[in-house]
Amino acid sequence: MTSETLEQAFETLPQSGGRRSGALVRKLGELVDGELPLQAFLELLLPQMCELFAASAAVAWMKTQGANGAVFGVRYRMDQMLDSVTEHKRHERLVQLAWQQRQPMLAEPSAAKTGEVGNPTGRPILFGPCLHFGEPIALLEIVLAEHDEGMTQEQRQRFLRCVQLLAERVYGGLRSRIAMPAANVGVALQNLEQLTNDVLSMQQQILRAIETRLQTFHGWAFASLAENQEFARAVHTLLDSHGLRVECSECGYPAILRCLSAGNAKRGAFVFDHYLDSGRTFHGGLTTVPLIRVVPKPARRAAINNPA
């Protein structure tokens, strides 16, 4: 990430001062790339973060080496934000939640409820994790100025983008100042497993959304064979781009929807084109669009017959 990218991001914030924000980003870069030890680096970093965001307070949370799960925070003006033991406890639970996210988080003020995870400061709080091999080694917390009218969705996205880029820039400074844990294949595989589950969930959502929309065409018949074939091709193109097929209404196998010229059907007949053990087969034969059910595309037959 270049400093120019960070400058451009901060120029989109409501309180940006144009050239002023650019100067602050460059000043931050000098601090990150400098040679100050960790404690001094963090103590100077926090007020600079507040300047960049026109914020009220900030904390840099770090994991304690040798104490699994323990963290410590270097604070800047944070004591002014929390007035009671109850507010401190709610804030601690919020920080714990932000650690678990592994992505930027914006917590807007919330009313106090017993045991609730929420933001007790009365101001929006930004969290940006500094990730090392996908695991947070530090967490930047920035208490923004009060927003009397609340934030728009566009403003939220801009703040989240800025804190993400800031965390990536600060990570470079942390990497040069502390001993980083070695790459752990167990952690990597765990992250990949989570990614796989997330992708599968999204694929299922896409499948259901496509199926629901395609089923609205059930019973339709277009004006000519050419138009019916054009519709069938469009359905296949859409499904194929997402690794999907239609389910044959007769045998349940994944298939390609086609419209073929058939007998007395001047506008053609819709069929399910697929390969069975007996060879290529066409099931169906309706003159109107059948009820479409969507299924994943099967593995290639060569791959099935000759597994790696």
Side-chain angles (χ1 to χ4, degrees):
M1 181 200 66
T2 66
S3 60
E4 181 181 7
T5 303
L6 193 56
E7 287 181 32
Q8 291 172 343
F10 273 98
E11 286 173 0
T12 67
L13 294 184
Q15 76 281 0
S16 171
R19 292 182 179 178
R20 180 175 178 274
S21 65
L24 292 175
V25 169
R26 290 189 289 273
K27 180 180 177 183
L28 174 77
E30 292 173 0
L31 175 64
V32 170
D33 297 333
E35 298 181 357
L36 287 176
L38 180 62
Q39 184 69 27
F41 166 66
L42 294 176
E43 289 175 353
L44 288 179
L45 173 67
L46 297 178
Q48 288 195 23
M49 291 196 313
C50 285
E51 277 192 287
L52 272 168
F53 285 94
S56 304
V59 185
W61 298 97
M62 301 284 294
K63 287 191 174 180
T64 304
Q65 294 186 6
N68 187 31
V71 300
F72 70 95
V74 179
R75 294 169 171 81
Y76 177 70
R77 295 180 179 172
M78 196 62 199
D79 291 339
Q80 303 171 22
M81 300 293 109
L82 303 168
D83 296 329
S84 66
V85 173
T86 301
E87 288 185 356
H88 276 279
K89 289 183 177 179
R90 289 186 71 218
H91 175 252
E92 288 174 4
R93 289 194 290 270
L94 180 63
V95 172
Q96 291 171 1
L97 176 64
W99 268 110
Q100 298 167 8
Q101 299 306 301
R102 293 184 174 84
Q103 61 184 358
M105 186 177 92
L106 174 62
E108 299 193 53
S110 58
K113 293 181 181 178
T114 304
E116 180 190 51
V117 175
N119 175 3
T121 66
R123 303 161 188 257
I125 301 180
L126 269 177
F127 292 96
C130 299
L131 301 177
H132 179 69
F133 293 126
E135 288 294 310
I137 58 166
L139 180 69
L140 305 180
E141 177 182 5
I142 303 159
V143 183
L144 302 176
E146 292 182 273
H147 283 67
D148 296 332
E149 300 179 358
M151 286 191 190
T152 65
Q153 185 59 28
E154 182 180 1
Q155 287 174 332
R156 294 187 188 97
Q157 293 303 317
R158 288 177 179 178
F159 275 111
L160 289 169
R161 177 60 175 161
C162 283
V163 79
Q164 178 183 358
L165 292 173
L166 175 67
E168 291 173 1
R169 188 72 175 93
V170 171
Y171 165 73
L174 296 175
R175 187 175 55 190
S176 65
R177 290 172 170 86
I178 61 177
M180 293 294 185
N184 185 308
V185 70
V187 172
L189 293 176
Q190 184 179 13
N191 288 341
L192 288 175
E193 181 180 3
Q194 181 60 53
L195 176 60
T196 299
N197 292 335
D198 291 344
V199 170
L200 288 174
S201 176
M202 288 186 286
Q203 287 175 334
Q204 281 298 311
Q205 293 175 27
I206 291 171
L207 184 152
R208 297 307 169 205
I210 292 175
E211 180 179 81
T212 299
R213 184 65 62 88
L214 291 181
Q215 287 183 353
T216 64
F217 297 107
H218 180 212
W220 286 36
F222 300 98
S224 65
L225 172 62
E227 289 186 1
N228 281 337
Q229 290 177 331
E230 183 179 4
F231 172 79
R233 283 194 298 269
V235 170
H236 174 61
T237 298
L238 170 65
L239 295 179
D240 194 52
S241 67
H242 292 284
L244 301 171
R245 291 289 185 265
V246 296
E247 181 183 79
C248 176
S249 59
E250 186 171 328
C251 66
Y253 275 70
I256 295 173
L257 182 68
R258 301 193 189 278
C259 185
L260 304 179
S261 177
N264 296 326
K266 294 181 180 180
R267 293 178 293 183
F270 288 96
V271 298
F272 297 95
D273 177 5
H274 46 21
Y275 281 89
L276 304 180
D277 291 339
S278 57
R280 188 177 184 182
T281 305
F282 297 92
H283 282 155
L286 294 176
T287 57
T288 60
V289 177
L291 181 65
I292 295 175
R293 301 189 187 282
V294 179
V295 294
K297 180 179 178 179
R300 293 176 59 189
R301 296 184 66 82
I304 295 173
N305 295 331
N306 300 289

